[in-house]
Amino acid sequence: MNVRLSGVGSYLPERVLSNPDLEKMVDTTSEWILERTGIRERRIAPDGVATSDLATIAAQRAMERAGISAGDVELIVVGTVTPDMMFPSTACLVQRNLQATGAAAFDVGAACSGFVYGLMTAASMISSGLYRNAIVIGADTLSRITDWTDRGTCVLFGDGAGAVVLEPGEGILGSCLGADGKGWDALMQPAGGSLMPATHETVDKRLHTIKMNGNQVFKFAVRAMANSVIECLDRCGMTRDDVNLLIPHQANTRIIEAAAARLGIPLDRVAVNIDKCGNMSSASIPVALDQAVQSGRLKRGDVGVMVAFGGGLTWGTAAFRW
Ligand SMILES: CC(C)(COP(=O)(O)OP(=O)(O)OC[C@H]1O[C@@H](n2cnc3c(N)ncnc32)[C@H](O)[C@@H]1OP(=O)(O)O)[C@@H](O)C(=O)NCCC(=O)NCCS
């Protein structure tokens, strides 16, 4: 695959929601949250700011670093579970905001694996010669679909966006995407779609918020992340020793540590930002990637491996040379 990542950018809303803040909202303690999840605080988008707004700023930052102007953008792909609305796609709203007239634009639905799925979709479209560049964005405002009365889930999530620019060149080394639809009900937002359209009853029952079987997702996540990275490295003819930085989905520090231990990758080669950001779904990986690049932790020429898991159930790994 002849596709490289030529720029990366991210954006986090300013407002911080800390664990002590959550203590005032639900029956929890800062210690429980930190010990069981690794999260200290998360960012929350203000009212009126939607996923496309976060996505647009992240995209602009990535474009600036790649040195590409809006008029030259050919494809925009957004991974999100919190689109501004059911349709049009958030990617179309980003295209309008960027004034990237002429770019094709669509969203990818793979829950928290959306960024990695979107990356490989766009990379394939460039590799095939269909497009000369693409912006791939992971953006979510999970605060909008969080049940703020459910202590089992509301402590986990945050808002943010990250983006990369893809262009022809040497970079993406290989991937491994997968799904297991039998686990569809382990993690979902039940109402608001064609199966259960919005009614007074669905709103009263808070069925437009995230429902999750935490233990089931936990076990699945550790296994899926480890297996998917092993498969991807195998396909690339690489081993764990070739990996300079593992960039996992940020859902729970204990999941990240267990997966890294299975892989035999020491934690000093694992990007972790969950303490400051919580789980931002599709945005977690590109935000962590941007932070690793800006801090100098991932340097040009280094090998990075991103690995995601999420609702679907889905998982996805992509290996690349930065
Ligand atoms: C959600 C998660 C943090 C729960 O941690 P856990 O160690 O499995 O905790 P359990 O669900 O076993 O709950 C243990 C107890 O803590 C309680 N608890 C749950 N949330 C709590 C909170 N915020 N504060 C205090 N207590 C809490 C539970 O009610 C339970 O109490 P009980 O034993 O009296 O019933 C963990 O399962 C997890 O991270 N799962 C994966 C979630 C995920 O990755 N989601 C996104 C995927 S993209």
Side-chain angles (χ1 to χ4, degrees):
M1 184 170 274
N2 292 313
V3 182
R4 71 188 177 100
L5 287 73
S6 58
V8 60
S10 65
Y11 175 72
L12 298 173
E14 270 173 36
R15 187 183 150 214
V16 173
L17 183 71
S18 68
N19 290 351
D21 293 334
L22 279 163
E23 285 178 2
K24 295 177 202 133
M25 297 162 65
V26 287
D27 179 16
T28 191
T29 63
S30 298
E31 294 72 34
W32 191 96
I33 302 171
L34 185 60
E35 192 183 302
R36 306 309 294 163
T37 72
I39 302 168
R40 288 175 193 277
E41 59 185 45
R42 65 291 287 148
R43 302 298 184 92
I44 305 291
D47 288 349
V49 169
T51 297
S52 67
D53 299 312
L54 310 184
T56 299
I57 301 174
Q60 282 166 334
R61 291 178 176 173
M63 287 162 60
E64 211 173 288
R65 294 195 181 117
I68 179 173
S69 59
D72 294 329
V73 175
E74 298 195 355
L75 176 65
I76 300 170
V77 179
V78 176
T80 187
V81 291
T82 48
D84 289 28
M85 52 196 88
M86 288 290 280
F87 70 90
S89 70
T90 299
C92 284
L93 302 173
V94 172
Q95 190 243 38
R96 176 207 55 182
N97 292 350
L98 293 174
Q99 297 182 308
T101 325
F106 64 93
D107 290 356
V108 166
C112 299
S113 309
F115 177 77
V116 178
Y117 265 68
L119 182 82
M120 294 317 301
T121 305
S124 305
M125 292 167 86
I126 293 174
S127 196
S128 68
L130 266 182
Y131 294 98
R132 277 171 302 179
N133 63 57
I135 303 175
V136 182
I137 306 167
D140 268 299
T141 41
L142 291 181
S143 62
R144 301 290 153 71
I145 58 165
T146 295
D147 180 351
W148 291 106
T149 66
D150 174 15
R151 68 175 183 174
T153 53
C154 77
V155 301
L156 302 173
F157 304 117
D159 302 337
V164 296
V165 177
L166 299 181
E167 293 182 71
E170 295 297 317
I172 293 181
L173 303 168
S175 69
C176 170
L177 306 182
D180 178 6
K182 291 194 294 297
W184 68 277
D185 56 353
L187 183 56
M188 61 169 168
Q189 181 188 357
S194 58
L195 180 64
M196 202 190 293
T199 62
H200 286 292
E201 195 189 352
T202 61
V203 173
D204 290 344
K205 290 183 172 167
R206 300 179 194 280
L207 294 174
H208 303 85
T209 60
I210 300 168
K211 306 294 172 203
M212 178 182 80
N213 180 332
N215 289 321
Q216 186 186 344
V217 175
F218 194 109
K219 286 181 203 142
F220 151 76
V222 175
R223 205 176 48 241
M225 283 171 105
N227 291 348
S228 159
V229 170
I230 289 166
E231 173 80 36
C232 176
L233 290 176
D234 205 43
R235 288 179 190 176
C236 297
M238 298 193 305
T239 72
R240 62 190 177 197
D241 298 330
D242 297 311
V243 180
N244 295 107
L245 192 66
L246 183 72
I247 306 156
H249 177 48
Q250 311 280 315
N252 187 317
T253 308
R254 291 185 293 137
I255 293 177
I256 294 173
E257 288 174 358
R262 273 195 188 210
L263 288 165
I265 296 179
L267 290 175
D268 62 0
R269 285 195 273 137
V270 181
V272 178
N273 68 4
I274 187 171
D275 55 322
K276 295 266 183 214
C277 301
N279 177 350
M280 302 181 291
S281 192
S282 276
S284 281
I285 286 178
V287 169
L289 171 65
D290 187 33
Q291 291 171 345
V293 168
Q294 304 319 324
S295 68
R297 200 161 172 213
L298 189 74
K299 298 176 191 63
R300 281 286 171 199
D302 281 353
V303 170
V305 172
M306 18 178 133
V307 55
F309 68 90
L313 296 165
T314 56
W315 59 89
T317 297
F320 61 99
R321 193 175 294 284
W322 173 248

